[in-house]
């Protein structure tokens, strides 16, 4: 900011010198015809132009890098906040709208908070310096010219109110367009299968048309502001020419003096206009800023309590004592007084009908949410008393839907633990029965997997996920329907990798698959959010 102010001063000083030298040249060279008098002022003028140009270049560079740094920092901050929100909170947001807040809205805020102050300072500098120069040269004429300022201020105020209302709407609709496009693209397979291209294109077109209407309204408003200012400017120039001609006639002003004065005034308007535009831009930035602030104000539903002592590595004794949970806005609780114990190193399978509350249990075990009543304990410590990072370092979740990230097979497996070595990655893939098919891929472990792993079969995706969990090597394992969507043969092939993954780990195995349930030491049934007392399959050895 200080650098930009100094550079702004240098630019303004050079422009001022240029205008003044032009006035001198008019009086000493153009009106007298003495060519030799041109050399010195021309040399100074050229010097001022070079120095001013260099300062302008440095100021542009400085403000662009400051602006981009600001955008990156704000986006990192906002995104850093989003990843602390529980998955349930993020799922309740429209993903496209969330993306719009983290991209377009952050950039819009920068316009005002980042480069805005720099532009404001250089505009104010320009107004003060050229205004003072005009006053010093001919104060009466200057005051006459400044009379236009209230008109400009009044116009900017009227426009900014209307632009502000439109800007709010534009930011909202912009988020909606991104959300509709994002949703339609991710559902493209369903759209084609059900022949509903007309429905989604209609939705995108409707959102796009609404956005286009608002953008046109915005353009109309700011388009009207520019010409209005030009008309006011023209009025001032005509006043200067008229009064100036009269003053030249009376001998109170030379032609060079009038041109110098007109030059000062012409340098006065761009900063006045720039301040006006800045005020108009403030409306859009405020609307965007509110959307970013709303995101930052969304509090994580689960937070760390003040630090407490905790074992770095846990044994893995898991216990649920009378756990109850109800989703926000849900009428019925998803879990009701669930009591369950999984001794260290043992496996408990949780079976039950769809909607019984099985996945909800996994969310509480990972602390995506806290129970409304009761306690979940790891080695006798309430999960809420463990730092979130320590809890998650000790509990590995294999979610129902396998997430494959855009990246290589190696990166996808290494995602399980920062710093995993190549040897550990290959060992995990081998134990997950993934090594053979990975080596048959075009680039082996360096094959880039497309978004969501669409180049892989369901069973292959699941084996990559098991390798990732093996690399993580945590003592507690939560498996949420690990065989969902797989046929009998694929399930059979997954049994070996799953057994190797569960071996020696405390495991909560959520499954519909009774063959898989027999892998557990104990099976419990969840029905309507409660544990049933009767075992539904005979316990295995
Ligand atoms: N995000 C949510 N908001 C509100 N209610 C939810 C939410 N997720 C689940 N529920 C409700 O909570 C109950 C338990 O859901 P849960 O997903 O735990 O069942 P589940 O046993 O895992 O079912 P499935 O076997 O079909 O995966 C259901 O009635 C469900 O409708």
């Amino acid at each position: 900011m200080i650098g930009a102010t100094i550079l702004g001063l240098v630019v303004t000083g050079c422009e001022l010198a240029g205008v003044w030298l032009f006035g001198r040249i008019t009086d000493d060279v153009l009106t007298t015809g003495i060519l030799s008098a041109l050399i010195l002022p021309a040399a100074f003028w050229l010097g001022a132009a070079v120095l001013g140009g260099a300062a302008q270049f440095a100021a542009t560079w400085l403000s662009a890098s400051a602006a981009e740094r600001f955008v990156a920092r704000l986006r990192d901050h906002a995104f850093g906040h989003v990843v602390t929100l529980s998955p349930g909170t993020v799922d309740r947001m429209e993903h496209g709208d969330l993306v719009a807040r983290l991209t377009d809205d952050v950039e819009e805020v920068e316009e005002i908070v980042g480069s805005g102050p720099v532009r404001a300072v250089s505009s104010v500098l320009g107004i003060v310096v050229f205004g003072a120069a005009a006053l010093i040269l001919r104060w009466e004429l200057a005051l006459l010219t400044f009379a236009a300022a209230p008109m400009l201020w009044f116009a900017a105020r009227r426009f900014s109110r209307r632009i502000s209302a439109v800007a709010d709407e534009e930011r909202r609709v912009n988020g909606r367009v991104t959300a509709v496009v994002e949703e339609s693209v991710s559902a493209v397979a369903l759209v084609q299968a059900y022949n509903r291209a007309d429905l989604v294109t209609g939705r995108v077109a409707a959102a796009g048309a609404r956005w286009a209407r608002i953008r046109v309204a915005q353009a109309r408003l700011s388009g009207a502001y520019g010409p209005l200012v030009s008309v006011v400017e023209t009025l001032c120039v005509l006043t200067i020419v008229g009064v100036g001609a009269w003053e030249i006639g009376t001998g109170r002003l030379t032609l060079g003096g009038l041109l110098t004065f007109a030059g000062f005034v012409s340098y006065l308007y761009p900063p006045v206009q720039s301040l006006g535009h800045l005020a108009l831009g403030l409306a859009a930035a405020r609307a965007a800023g509110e959307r970013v602030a709303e995101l930052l104000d969304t509090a994580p539903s689960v937070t760390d309590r003040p630090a407490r002592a905790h074992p770095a590595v846990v044994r893995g004794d898991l216990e649920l004592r009378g756990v109850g949970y109800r989703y926000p806005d849900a009428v019925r609780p998803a879990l009701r007084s669930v009591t369950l114990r999984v001794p260290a190193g043992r496996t408990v399978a949780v079976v039950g009908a769809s909607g019984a509350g099985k996945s909800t249990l996994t969310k509480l075990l990972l602390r995506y949410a806290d129970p409304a009543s009761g306690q979940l304990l790891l080695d006798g410590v309430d999960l809420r008393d463990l730092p979130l990072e320590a809890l998650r370092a000790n509990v590995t979740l294999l979610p129902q839907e396998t997430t494959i990230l855009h990246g290589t097979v190696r990166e996808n497996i290494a995602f399980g633990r920062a710093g995993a070595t190549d040897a550990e990655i290959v060992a995990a893939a081998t134990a997950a029965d993934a090594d053979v098919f990975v080596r048959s891929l075009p680039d082996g472990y360096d094959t880039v997997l497309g978004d969501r792993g669409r180049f892989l079969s369901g069973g292959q995706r699941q084996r990559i996920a098991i390798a990732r969990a093996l690399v993580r090597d945590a003592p507690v394992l939560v498996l949420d329907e690990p065989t969902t969507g797989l046929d009998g043969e694929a399930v059979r092939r997954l049994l070996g990798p799953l057994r190797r993954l569960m071996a020696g780990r405390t495991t909560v195995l959520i499954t519909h698959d009774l063959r898989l349930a027999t892998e557990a030491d104990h099976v419990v049934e969840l029905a309507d959010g409660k544990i049933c007392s009767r075992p539904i399959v005979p316990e295995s050895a």
Side-chain angles (χ1 to χ4, degrees), residues 275-359:
L275 273 189
H277 277 123
L278 220 55
L280 300 182
L282 196 64
R286 187 192 47 75
E290 277 171 10
R291 283 166 50 80
V292 176
E294 198 178 64
L295 193 61
L296 291 172
D297 285 346
T298 310
S301 53
V302 169
T303 48
D304 268 335
R305 284 184 182 175
R308 289 177 191 221
H310 64 91
V313 179
V314 301
R315 269 194 332 277
D317 253 324
L318 204 59
E319 194 182 346
L320 279 76
R321 283 190 202 151
V323 168
Y325 181 74
R326 184 199 300 266
Y327 285 98
D329 308 326
V331 203
R332 287 152 47 84
L335 291 176
R336 290 185 288 162
S337 202
V338 173
T339 296
L340 181 67
R341 184 153 178 259
V342 192
R346 310 305 291 263
T347 297
V348 166
V350 181
V351 299
S354 181
K358 304 183 299 294
S359 296

Side-chain angles (χ1 to χ4, degrees), residues 12 55 81-82 85 131 138 181 209 249 252 265 275 298 315 330 334 395 455 457 527:
T12 311
H81 179 72
V82 168
L85 300 175
R138 290 295 306 150
V181 169
R252 287 200 291 171
V265 173
L275 273 189
T298 310
R315 269 194 332 277
V395 181
F455 306 143
S457 74

Side-chain angles (χ1 to χ4, degrees), residues 112-416:
I112 288 303
V113 184
S115 53
V118 175
R119 269 166 50 210
V121 165
S122 79
S123 300
V124 170
L125 266 178
I127 292 170
V128 169
V129 169
F130 286 106
L135 274 171
I136 290 167
L137 195 65
R138 290 295 306 150
W139 68 269
E140 305 96 321
L141 199 52
L143 288 182
L144 202 64
T145 316
F146 297 165
M151 277 194 268
L152 289 175
W153 180 79
F154 182 71
R157 256 188 81 83
R158 273 194 69 82
F159 273 80
S160 80
R161 276 209 198 109
R162 291 171 61 192
I163 283 182
S164 176
V166 178
D168 277 351
E169 180 72 355
E170 191 274 332
R171 285 293 86 202
R172 231 173 27 76
V173 176
N174 178 55
R176 182 77 201 124
V177 171
T178 322
V180 175
V181 169
E182 194 265 351
E183 190 196 70
S184 307
V185 169
S186 59
V188 74
L190 180 77
V191 167
Q192 290 182 6
Y194 283 69
N195 272 339
R196 296 315 307 269
D198 51 345
L199 181 80
V200 289
T201 45
R203 266 196 210 156
V204 171
R210 192 145 162 241
W211 189 63
R213 272 198 305 277
I214 295 168
R215 293 287 292 174
V216 169
Q218 255 185 332
R220 217 176 40 229
L221 281 171
S222 47
Y225 178 69
L228 190 76
V229 171
S230 290
V231 170
V232 176
E233 270 182 36
T234 310
L235 266 174
C236 289
V237 170
L238 290 176
T239 312
I240 293 167
V241 171
V243 178
W246 175 70
E247 290 213 326
I248 289 175
T250 62
R252 287 200 291 171
L253 198 63
T254 62
L255 177 61
L258 178 63
L259 289 179
T260 306
F261 184 85
F264 288 158
V265 173
S266 72
Y267 272 97
L268 197 57
Y269 286 128
V272 170
Q273 277 223 33
S274 166
L275 273 189
H277 277 123
L278 220 55
L280 300 182
L282 196 64
R286 187 192 47 75
E290 277 171 10
R291 283 166 50 80
V292 176
E294 198 178 64
L295 193 61
L296 291 172
D297 285 346
T298 310
S301 53
V302 169
T303 48
D304 268 335
R305 284 184 182 175
R308 289 177 191 221
H310 64 91
V313 179
V314 301
R315 269 194 332 277
D317 253 324
L318 204 59
E319 194 182 346
L320 279 76
R321 283 190 202 151
V323 168
Y325 181 74
R326 184 199 300 266
Y327 285 98
D329 308 326
V331 203
R332 287 152 47 84
L335 291 176
R336 290 185 288 162
S337 202
V338 173
T339 296
L340 181 67
R341 184 153 178 259
V342 192
R346 310 305 291 263
T347 297
V348 166
V350 181
V351 299
S354 181
K358 304 183 299 294
S359 296
T360 307
L361 209 60
T362 69
K363 293 174 191 167
L364 300 188
L365 284 168
L366 265 291
R367 272 199 85 200
Y368 289 160
D370 283 331
S373 55
Q375 276 184 305
L376 290 95
L377 305 129
L378 186 58
D379 289 351
V381 180
D382 191 314
L383 297 192
R384 286 167 290 201
D385 289 333
L386 285 171
L388 274 173
E389 206 176 323
L391 167 71
R392 289 168 186 172
N394 283 290
V395 181
T396 296
L397 169 71
L398 218 66
Q400 204 166 356
E401 261 179 54
T402 303
T403 303
I404 299 289
L405 304 161
H406 187 94
T408 63
V409 174
R410 192 188 309 282
E411 285 162 351
N412 264 284
I413 298 176
F415 188 82

Side-chain angles (χ1 to χ4, degrees), residues 427-444:
T430 308
D433 271 356
D435 183 67
V436 174
F437 94 76
V438 168
R439 286 188 195 279
S440 72
L441 293 171
D443 295 314

